[in-house]
């Protein structure tokens, strides 16, 4: 058989070719227009191909060419600030080639192959280098040094090494065995890039969102799932994380979501400033946008494209955060392809291998020792869109089995306009134990204890609320009424956070701690004032408390909060004398 | 190939016809079937291979037998488009229904429609004033948005859609909308109601109607919205019109999709709907928006009736995941005699933030909207409590909120079908109604707006 075959059958995005030499996951060119596709099943002399573009108008008998390669991404300087579709074609280039509507059959380089970068060698002639080792640096953006690494599996004794200005396809290093390397390399998306070993996650990914950092922290190298019904704020949460988390690099995958929402991100990100470096956010971001109406097979590929790019930067020793919004759309793409293959379905029509694929994807997260001996991490945050908000469905369940952090979005909270609408009663994080030491060393010795106190209060509140529903809050003893008031303060002052507010959107971890302490200080002083005879109403209504609560919307709150707490405590103490 | 007639039908099943061995036929190609009695039917290729071709027949497969002739037309489905479309009424397959001449094509547009490059979109931000307080204040509509009406049988969603079509205007300019109306499986009575209203207000001259009624072939409904959107895209992106697409009823469309899936013996997803329904719906809904370098816009108002008033049913559920919010019609409010019975609590406009404020509506809009929503939500919740403990158990604040929830429905929501309130009137009304609540309980209002707009301070 040859590398060329003929189309036998077309059914939506699935095309069958005959008389073609093919192996699983080979990339093929389908039809006279050369549409890109990937072999996903072999039956005798038939190869089943998923096609990444619309197949209308294609006929049986047209040619199919096997490229013999697997689906790969191009890696090298120029990736950052790019906006790709699911198979790494830059959307701005596609706009130039085909106008505002995406037609088909257009190829585009992942980044500018002609652009000249200044290469600074890090090895000398005669050095022995192995796969993953850094041979030189390129300043890719103001904040990110791009490290040029030997392709894993390659290497040798350096025969010559260049220095100066080169584009990504020019040779910058040659080896004694005659092989040479360029700044650009290819890597198959479905193969995880290798590393030396995985480390336990002990450093938190600080997000600036109080409910996440304080109650349900995520570790660098960890994985989190955010399930929630529509309108509960998944996308806003994901975007806040992309904007404010202290990862050095962000890969944002818009997988099967809304076009207008993607446009908002594309419009907004170039103007946003990274609070951790003071530089434009775009300089640390790679975006992948495959909206819901773009070809479904490319949607399936988009998460792999994204995580491979993330792994490449991890291998340079960076902390990378990857957001996938939404993994349910990815799973549905798998379901659609699977159903076209007439595979025996598992639950709800999803293929039986769904949970394996989900697990494999999240397992590519982690904090690792890279082949170069450095520390790097990928933190994966996947949004899940369960039908009807019911998380007993296969995608949510497959995700929850593997991730260690669950941020459960709640339609009820969203309706009350409590944002972020993360339910504090059913969300969880399994990381506190491994992260507590970091919080003790870097924020405050009693940080974990404060966390336990806050979540304990919220738990008590939910029990008391059940009684209040029946008899009204006035029927409770005053100490319990105070607990309710404290819990309300936790919810309205601490947990609620406006993702669009210029000050409140990002809350420094030290400020979070001070705010939590302020709540407990209020509780403490209120208790002792009431024990000394003060009235609950007077204690709760001291004006300085609402000043304290409103103050979080002002700039410089971290400097004024201590003074405000002091005033509040004085006023509460004074309520005793008033009686 | 065109012109060659095959008589190789092997099976006919539901809306599908299966043919043996033909010349290579393109995926998505249109097909003409000639029955032995001379009737012509149309269809489209769903699956094609060297041995077998599956055709879905739009007009139903009645009277098709194995001797029927099948001709492949050599092209995918295209709609002849030109500005002559404006003012015309077409059937669900794009043929004139008003007795007028065929459309003279300026071009033939592929009805599947290519996806808009997300990079080439423009962010929507022009506020559309619908004149309906509940929508303008709480779920503001933006030009280029897709905002479905989630309704149920027996509710006045058609009146609301028509009122929006009549009254929708931009506050910033006097540019008018062109209405593209797409009926899928609605009754003749409902259709006549729409047409009569559009005729009476003169809007029909500025509208294009694609009509597939309840007794028209169900499978045709698969292409009707695609025709409507193709016409809309042509008018918006080639001819600079601002197009408002109303389609009703999406539930019938999804049922037709399910019918084809079942006939093809596909593995069904939830409630028997095909697993690809999300993608399929997205390919309709995502054809809304604005693009770089073009003046026009497409705003979509899909109407769907939720079977059993169930918002978690796959049709509203998948729609909600694609559209930019939803307007939910409430049976409870309707039965209380309130028009328009819009329940603002589960309703949402995701793009609202981008279109309201000082420059477009009014500086206090956000603040007022949040406060109205919060006060009404709390008032509604208290109704439940009062049912158990009685009104006397409420404190002063709760009593005021409870009372406000009634006023909200009676004075704010309720308006006549022909009452067109400007956004200024709506916001002033909000302030008047909120003044029944003690200012100290109105915590979501900025003090500066209270000073400026509260009736006590305006006298």
């Amino acid at each position: 058989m040859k590398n060329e075959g003929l189309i036998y059958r077309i059914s939506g995005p699935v095309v069958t070719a005959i008389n073609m030499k093919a192996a699983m996951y080979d990339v093929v060119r389908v039809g006279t227009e050369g549409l890109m596709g990937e072999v996903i099943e072999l039956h005798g002399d038939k190869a089943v191909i998923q096609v990444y573009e619309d197949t209308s108008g294609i006929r049986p008998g047209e040619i199919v060419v096997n490229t013999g390669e697997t689906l790969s991404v191009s890696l090298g300087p120029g990736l950052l600030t790019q906006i790709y579709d699911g198979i790494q074609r830059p959307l701005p280039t596609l706009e130039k080639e085909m106008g505002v509507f995406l037609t088909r059959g257009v190829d585009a380089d992942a980044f500018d192959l002609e652009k000249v970068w200044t290469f600074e060698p890090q090895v000398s002639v005669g050095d022995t280098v192995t796969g993953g080792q850094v041979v030189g640096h390129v300043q890719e953006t103001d904040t990110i040094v791009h490290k040029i690494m030997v392709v894993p599996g390659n290497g040798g004794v350096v025969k010559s090494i260049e220095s100066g200005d080169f584009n990504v396809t020019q040779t910058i290093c040659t080896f004694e065995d005659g092989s040479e390397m360029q700044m650009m390399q290819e890597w198959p998306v479905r193969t995880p890039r290798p590393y030396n070993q995985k480390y336990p996650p002990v450093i938190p990914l600080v997000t600036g969102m109080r409910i996440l950092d304080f109650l349900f922290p995520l570790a660098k190298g960890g994985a989190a799932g955010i399930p929630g019904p529509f309108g509960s704020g998944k996308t806003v949460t994901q975007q806040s994380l992309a904007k404010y988390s202290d990862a050095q690099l962000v890969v944002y995958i818009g997988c099967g979501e809304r076009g207008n929402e993607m446009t908002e991100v594309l419009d907004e990100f170039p103007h946003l400033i990274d609070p951790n470096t003071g530089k434009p956010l775009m300089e640390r971001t790679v975006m992948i946008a495959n909206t819901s109406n773009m070809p479904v097979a490319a949607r399936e590929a988009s998460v792999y494209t994204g995580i491979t790019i993330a792994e490449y930067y991890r291998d340079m020793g960076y902390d990378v955060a990857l957001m996938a919004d939404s993994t349910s759309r990815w799973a549905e793409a798998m379901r659609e392809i699977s159903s076209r293959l007439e595979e025996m379905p598992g639950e709800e029509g999803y293929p039986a291998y769904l949970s394996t694929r989900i697990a494999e994807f999240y397992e590519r997260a982690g904090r690792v020792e890279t082949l170069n001996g450095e520390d790097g991490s990928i933190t994966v945050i996947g949004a899940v869109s369960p039908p009807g908000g019911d998380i007993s469905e296969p995608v949510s369940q497959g995700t929850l089995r593997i991730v260690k952090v669950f941020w459960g979005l709640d339609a009820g909270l969203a309706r009350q306009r409590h944002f972020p609408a993360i339910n504090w009663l059913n969300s969880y994080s399994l990381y506190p134990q491994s992260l507590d030491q970091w919080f003790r060393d870097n924020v405050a010795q009693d940080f974990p204890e404060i966390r336990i106190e806050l979540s304990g209060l919220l738990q008590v509140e939910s029990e008391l609320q059940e009684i209040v529903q029946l008899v009204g809050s006035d029927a409770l003893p005053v100490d319990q009424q105070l607990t309710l008031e404290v819990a309300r303060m936790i919810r309205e002052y601490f947990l609620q956070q406006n993702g669009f507010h210029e000050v409140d959107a990002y809350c420094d971890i030290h400020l979070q701690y001070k705010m939590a302490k302020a709540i407990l200080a209020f509780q403490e002083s209120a208790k002792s004032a009431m024990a000394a005879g003060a009235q609950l109403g007077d204690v709760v209504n001291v004006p300085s408390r609402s000043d304290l609560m409103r103050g979080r919307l002002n700039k410089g709150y971290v400097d004024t909060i201590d003074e405000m707490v002091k005033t509040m405590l004085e006023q509460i103490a004074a309520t005793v004398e008033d009686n | 190939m065109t012109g060659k007639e095959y008589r190789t039908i092997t099976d006919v099943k539901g809306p599908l016809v299966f043919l043996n061995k033909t010349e290579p036929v393109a995926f998505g190609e249109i097909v003409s079937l000639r029955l032995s009695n001379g009737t012509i039917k149309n269809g489209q290729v769903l699956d094609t291979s060297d041995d077998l071709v599956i055709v879905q027949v739009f007009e139903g497969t009645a009277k098709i037998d194995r001797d029927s002739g099948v001709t492949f037309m050599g092209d995918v489905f295209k709609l002849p488009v030109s500005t002559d479309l404006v003012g015309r009424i077409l059937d669900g397959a794009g043929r004139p229904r008003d007795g007028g001449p065929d459309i003279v094509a300026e071009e033939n547009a592929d009805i599947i429609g290519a996806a808009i490059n997300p990079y080439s979109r423009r962010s929507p931000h022009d506020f559309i004033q619908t004149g309906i307080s509940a929508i303008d204040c709480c779920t503001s509509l933006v030009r280029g948005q897709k905002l479905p009406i989630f309704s149920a049988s027996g509710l006045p969603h058609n009146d609301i859609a028509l009122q929006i079509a009549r009254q929708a205007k931009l506050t910033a300019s006097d540019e008018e909308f062109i209405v593209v109306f797409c009926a899928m499986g609605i009754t003749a009575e409902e259709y006549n109601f729409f047409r009569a209203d559009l005729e009476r207000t003169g809007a029909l001259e500025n509208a294009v109607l694609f009509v597939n009624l309840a007794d028209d072939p169900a499978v045709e409904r698969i292409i009707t919205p695609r025709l409507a959107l193709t016409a809309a895209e042509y008018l918006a992106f080639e001819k600079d019109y601002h197009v408002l697409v109303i389609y009703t009823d999406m539930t019938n469309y999804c049922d037709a999709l399910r019918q084809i899936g079942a006939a093809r013996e596909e593995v069904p997803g939830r409630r028997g709907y095909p697993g690809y329904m999300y993608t399929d719906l997205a390919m309709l809904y995502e054809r809304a928006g604005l693009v770089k370098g073009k003046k026009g816009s497409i705003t979509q108002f899909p109407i769907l009736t939720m079977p059993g008033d169930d918002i978690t049913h796959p049709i509203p559920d998948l729609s909600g995941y694609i559209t930019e919010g939803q307007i939910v019609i409430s049976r409870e409010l309707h039965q209380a005699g309130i028009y328009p019975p819009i329940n603002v609590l589960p309703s949402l406009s995701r793009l609202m933030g981008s279109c309201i404020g000082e420059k477009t509506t009014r500086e206090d809009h956000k603040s007022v909207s949040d406060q109205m929503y919060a006060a009404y939500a709390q008032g509604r919740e208290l109704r439940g409590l009062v049912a158990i403990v009685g009104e006397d158990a409420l404190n002063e604040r709760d009593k005021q909120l409870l009372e406000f929830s009634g006023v909200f429905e009676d004075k704010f929501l309720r308006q006549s079908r022909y009452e067109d309130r400007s956004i200024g009137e709506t916001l002033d009304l909000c302030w008047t109604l909120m003044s029944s609540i003690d200012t100290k309980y109105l915590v979501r209002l900025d003090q500066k707006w209270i000073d400026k707009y509260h009736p006590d301070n305006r006298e």
Side-chain angles (χ1 to χ4, degrees):
Chain A
M1 286 208 278
K2 296 178 303 193
N3 287 335
E4 277 180 25
L6 297 174
I7 297 179
Y8 169 75
R9 177 185 172 189
I10 302 139
S11 172
V14 173
V15 167
T16 310
I18 47 170
N19 297 327
M20 181 179 72
K21 189 168 176 293
M24 284 293 274
Y25 302 121
D26 278 352
V27 169
V28 295
R29 297 285 171 180
V30 175
T32 41
E33 290 180 74
L35 308 182
M36 187 166 158
E38 190 180 11
V39 175
I40 51 171
E41 205 172 85
L42 295 171
H43 282 298
D45 65 342
K46 290 187 185 129
V48 181
I49 298 157
Q50 63 175 0
V51 179
Y52 294 115
E53 298 181 78
D54 178 39
T55 53
S56 296
I58 311 286
R59 292 166 196 278
E62 288 184 26
I63 192 167
V64 182
V65 181
N66 189 346
T67 64
E69 286 161 13
T70 47
L71 184 63
S72 302
V73 287
S74 305
L75 303 167
L79 278 170
L80 290 175
T81 73
Q82 287 285 3
I83 302 154
Y84 293 118
D85 75 351
I87 47 174
Q88 216 202 3
R89 296 184 300 180
L91 291 173
T93 314
L94 295 187
E95 182 187 78
K96 247 179 257 152
E97 299 275 334
M98 17 176 162
V100 296
F101 288 100
L102 293 168
T103 51
R104 58 187 188 188
V106 175
D107 255 341
D109 294 322
F111 36 78
D112 188 350
L113 302 184
E114 299 303 319
K115 180 163 178 181
V116 171
W117 302 88
T118 305
F119 175 80
E120 296 168 27
Q122 303 292 314
V123 293
S124 317
V125 173
D127 287 356
T128 304
V129 294
T130 54
Q133 210 168 324
V134 175
V135 299
H137 289 175
V138 165
Q139 191 73 40
E140 185 174 2
T141 64
D142 282 351
T143 46
I144 300 294
V145 174
H146 193 109
K147 297 173 187 169
I148 307 297
M149 297 171 291
V150 180
V151 178
N154 294 9
V157 178
V158 177
K159 187 178 172 195
S160 72
I161 179 92
E162 301 288 346
S163 170
D165 293 349
F166 296 92
N167 70 32
V168 293
T169 56
Q170 287 173 314
T171 299
I172 39 108
C173 181
T174 60
F175 299 106
E176 292 291 354
D177 64 359
S179 60
E180 34 187 59
M181 69 174 282
Q182 296 78 30
M183 285 198 262
M184 182 171 83
Q185 55 178 278
E186 304 274 322
W187 191 263
V189 296
R190 295 184 201 275
T191 312
R193 285 175 65 92
Y195 48 84
N196 282 345
Q197 58 167 323
K198 271 202 180 173
Y199 290 129
V202 290
I203 303 164
L205 181 82
V206 179
T207 65
M209 288 169 81
R210 290 184 287 267
I211 186 166
L212 304 187
D213 290 343
F214 220 87
L215 295 185
F216 310 110
L218 172 60
K220 286 202 172 105
I226 321 184
F230 62 80
S232 60
K234 279 186 299 297
T235 301
V236 178
T237 308
Q238 290 270 38
Q239 290 178 6
S240 290
L241 290 168
K243 289 177 202 164
Y244 303 121
S245 71
D246 68 345
Q248 290 160 301
L249 269 131
V250 170
V251 177
Y252 189 94
I253 309 172
C255 174
E257 288 287 307
R258 302 178 180 87
N260 277 336
E261 235 163 49
M262 217 53 233
T263 308
E264 221 175 282
V265 175
L266 301 180
D267 277 357
E268 190 183 18
F269 268 52
H271 306 293
L272 288 173
I273 298 297
D274 178 356
N276 299 301
T277 62
K279 300 286 182 193
L281 267 181
M282 233 16 222
E283 299 204 348
R284 63 163 202 179
T285 309
V286 180
M287 277 204 237
I288 294 170
N290 208 86
T291 56
S292 53
N293 56 338
M294 285 159 73
V296 67
R299 194 199 302 165
E300 193 269 338
S302 64
V303 299
Y304 295 106
T305 301
I307 199 144
T308 309
I309 293 172
E311 283 176 341
Y312 177 65
Y313 281 99
R314 173 204 69 190
D315 290 347
M316 296 179 204
Y318 289 115
D319 292 317
V320 184
L322 178 134
M323 285 86 193
D325 184 15
S326 153
T327 58
S328 293
R329 307 300 162 224
W330 167 55
E332 279 163 12
M334 276 192 263
R335 173 165 73 183
E336 199 171 325
I337 304 283
S338 159
S339 123
R340 303 265 183 192
L341 295 179
E342 293 163 12
E343 289 175 338
M344 183 67 84
E347 255 179 295
E348 293 195 19
Y350 285 105
Y353 46 78
L354 173 73
S355 59
T356 319
R357 291 277 168 86
I358 292 176
E360 281 168 0
F361 167 68
Y362 281 105
E363 205 45 29
R364 288 174 80 167
R367 196 166 77 86
V368 304
E369 185 194 301
T370 67
L371 294 179
N372 198 36
E374 290 175 86
D375 264 18
S377 72
I378 298 179
T379 314
V380 173
I381 300 147
V384 185
S385 317
D390 171 14
I391 61 162
S392 67
E393 56 89 40
V395 184
S396 303
Q397 288 304 311
T399 306
L400 292 183
R401 272 207 298 280
I402 184 97
V403 300
K404 300 279 186 295
V405 174
F406 167 66
W407 296 325
L409 290 166
D410 189 305
L413 289 173
R415 270 203 291 279
Q416 291 162 31
R417 298 294 193 257
H418 174 110
F419 287 112
I422 294 166
N423 185 325
W424 51 89
L425 296 173
N426 70 6
S427 297
Y428 61 75
S429 164
L430 300 180
Y431 288 121
Q433 281 191 335
S434 41
L435 299 178
D436 276 354
Q437 199 54 48
W438 188 93
F439 283 117
R440 286 188 205 279
D441 295 345
N442 292 281
V443 187
Q445 269 306 316
D446 59 347
F447 188 97
E449 285 73 29
I450 304 281
R451 172 196 306 130
I452 292 165
E453 263 191 82
L454 289 196
S455 53
L457 278 163
L458 290 167
Q459 197 65 45
V460 173
E461 185 203 25
S462 80
E463 287 158 22
L464 290 177
Q465 281 296 353
E466 285 174 24
I467 306 172
V468 171
Q469 290 295 321
L470 295 174
V471 297
S473 63
D474 289 349
L476 292 180
V478 284
D479 62 327
Q480 291 187 344
Q481 288 187 35
L482 175 66
T483 306
L484 285 182
E485 195 54 47
V486 174
R488 197 168 70 89
M489 188 167 174
I490 299 176
R491 285 189 281 113
E492 293 182 0
Y493 168 63
F494 193 77
L495 300 185
Q496 279 192 25
Q497 194 170 351
N498 184 344
F500 299 109
H501 193 281
E502 53 169 337
V503 177
D504 198 32
Y506 174 79
C507 187
D508 183 79
I509 184 79
H510 295 92
L511 178 58
Q512 296 183 19
Y513 172 75
K514 284 188 177 193
M515 289 172 70
K517 286 285 270 191
I519 296 169
L520 296 177
F522 163 72
Q523 183 189 30
E524 197 55 35
S525 66
K527 264 189 191 157
S528 43
M530 282 157 64
Q535 294 295 313
L536 175 69
D538 298 339
V539 170
V540 168
N541 287 327
V542 292
S544 51
R545 190 167 73 110
S546 41
D547 293 344
L548 171 76
M549 287 170 67
R550 259 202 300 275
R552 72 175 205 272
L553 300 177
N554 298 332
K555 278 194 181 130
Y557 187 49
V558 68
D559 303 319
T560 54
I561 180 169
D562 291 337
E563 196 57 39
M564 292 170 109
V565 172
K566 211 171 127 217
T567 317
M568 176 183 72
L569 297 184
E570 283 165 8
Q571 287 189 358
I572 290 172
T575 57
V576 180
E577 283 132 46
D578 294 345
N579 266 275
Chain B
M1 288 146 289
T2 314
K4 193 166 173 184
E5 193 176 83
Y6 293 90
R7 290 178 188 274
T8 53
I9 294 178
T10 55
D11 298 340
V12 181
K13 194 162 60 171
L16 304 182
V17 168
F18 298 73
L19 283 93
N20 261 346
K21 199 70 182 163
T22 56
E23 293 293 308
V25 172
F27 178 73
E29 189 166 337
I30 42 173
V31 176
S32 163
L33 293 99
R34 196 167 53 80
L35 275 51
S36 29
N37 63 6
T39 318
I40 301 287
K41 296 195 179 207
N42 297 297
Q44 187 175 16
V45 175
L46 276 191
D47 198 320
T48 168
S49 71
D50 278 356
D51 316 323
L52 183 73
V53 175
I54 306 178
V55 175
Q56 74 177 15
V57 182
F58 298 131
E59 293 91 343
T61 46
K63 285 282 174 197
I64 294 182
D65 58 16
R66 296 185 56 181
D67 295 328
S68 304
V70 180
T71 310
F72 297 96
M73 309 305 281
D75 204 352
V76 294
F77 212 113
K78 290 197 167 151
L79 176 74
V81 286
S82 75
T83 39
D84 292 349
L85 278 169
V86 179
R88 297 297 303 271
I89 302 175
L90 308 170
D91 72 2
R95 294 168 296 230
R97 194 191 170 102
D98 51 6
D102 283 349
I103 305 294
V104 178
E106 193 166 305
E107 58 181 276
N108 284 302
D110 185 347
I111 66 158
I112 299 299
I116 299 174
N117 184 336
Y119 180 76
S120 310
R121 283 178 180 270
R122 281 189 288 141
S123 285
H125 51 70
D126 295 324
F127 171 77
I128 298 176
Q129 177 180 298
T130 65
I132 297 174
S133 292
I135 297 176
D136 289 349
C137 172
C138 299
T139 53
S140 310
L141 175 66
V142 194
R143 195 156 69 176
Q145 188 174 17
K146 42 195 180 290
L147 192 63
I149 299 181
F150 285 8
S151 187
S153 27
L155 297 179
H157 41 264
N158 291 342
D159 297 73
I160 297 173
L162 274 173
Q163 188 167 3
I164 292 168
R166 262 196 317 268
Q167 299 179 170
K169 58 175 108 29
L170 290 177
T171 46
S173 75
D174 53 0
E175 290 166 299
E176 294 262 331
F177 285 99
I178 270 201
V179 174
V180 171
F181 176 79
C182 168
M184 292 166 286
I186 61 170
T187 61
E189 192 183 325
E190 285 172 299
Y191 162 62
N192 288 336
F193 174 74
F194 268 105
R195 204 188 56 184
D197 195 276
L198 292 172
E199 237 164 23
R200 193 168 40 75
T201 55
L204 195 58
E205 290 163 28
N206 266 326
V208 192
L209 276 61
F210 289 86
V211 183
N212 167 289
L213 297 184
D215 57 352
D216 288 334
V219 179
E220 196 181 85
R221 275 163 220 163
I222 301 291
I223 54 166
T224 312
R226 295 188 160 82
L227 296 171
L229 289 164
T230 305
E233 272 169 5
Y234 172 79
L235 294 171
F237 302 137
E238 301 291 330
K239 297 292 163 194
D240 294 345
Y241 286 107
H242 295 290
V243 184
L244 189 65
V245 183
I246 300 175
Y247 33 127
T248 180
D249 174 338
M250 283 309 287
T251 308
N252 295 333
Y253 171 82
C254 293
D255 283 353
L257 211 57
R258 177 165 66 176
Q259 204 179 328
I260 291 170
R264 293 186 71 185
E265 296 176 7
E266 287 170 347
V267 179
R270 276 200 305 153
R271 302 221 187 174
Y273 292 98
Y276 49 79
M277 195 159 85
Y278 176 83
T279 307
D280 193 278
L281 287 174
M283 289 178 73
L284 302 179
Y285 294 143
E286 280 291 338
R287 291 169 83 172
L290 300 89
V291 299
K292 287 182 196 163
K294 312 271 182 189
K295 278 200 200 125
S297 66
I298 298 179
T299 311
Q300 287 189 17
F301 256 111
I303 299 172
L304 59 90
T305 49
M306 299 182 280
D309 294 13
D310 177 11
I311 199 167
T312 68
H313 185 281
I315 298 171
D317 193 54
L318 294 179
S319 297
Y321 274 120
I322 306 165
T323 55
E324 283 131 357
Q326 64 277 338
I327 294 171
V328 181
I329 312 287
S330 149
R331 191 173 300 278
E332 191 192 332
L333 288 170
H334 178 61
Q335 278 165 350
I338 289 161
Y339 175 90
I342 295 171
N343 186 354
V344 300
L345 300 182
S347 299
L348 171 75
S349 165
R350 288 170 185 272
L351 301 181
M352 179 165 173
S354 63
C355 75
I356 61 170
E358 195 181 347
K359 290 200 188 96
T360 48
T361 56
R362 214 166 80 180
E363 53 194 0
D364 57 331
H365 189 153
K366 173 96 181 68
S367 205
V368 168
S369 165
D370 283 353
Q371 183 62 65
M372 288 289 283
Y373 184 97
Y376 179 59
Q378 288 168 13
R380 283 275 295 238
E381 213 162 274
L382 288 165
R383 285 186 195 169
L385 187 62
V386 167
I388 301 169
V389 298
E391 206 162 322
D392 295 343
L394 297 185
N395 59 30
E396 187 51 35
R397 171 177 175 273
D398 289 354
K399 272 183 194 149
Q400 290 184 8
L401 288 171
L402 179 68
E403 200 181 326
F404 174 78
S405 71
V407 175
F408 181 96
E409 289 168 4
D410 191 45
K411 296 275 183 339
F412 174 74
L413 287 186
R414 190 197 295 280
Q415 67 186 86
S416 99
R417 282 167 171 75
Y418 291 93
E419 186 176 356
D420 188 358
R421 294 182 192 156
S422 75
I423 181 66
E425 285 166 357
T426 291
L427 292 175
D428 287 344
L429 175 67
C430 292
W431 280 103
T432 310
L433 300 181
M434 285 192 295
S435 67
S436 70
I437 303 174
D438 205 322
T439 314
K440 71 171 178 245
Y441 301 136
L442 300 174
V443 289
R444 298 203 181 220
L445 289 176
D446 285 349
Q447 189 59 44
K448 54 184 172 192
W449 308 142
I450 294 179
D451 294 342
K452 190 164 171 187
Y453 293 105
H454 196 283
D456 291 353
N457 304 326
R458 287 179 109 179
E459 301 311 321

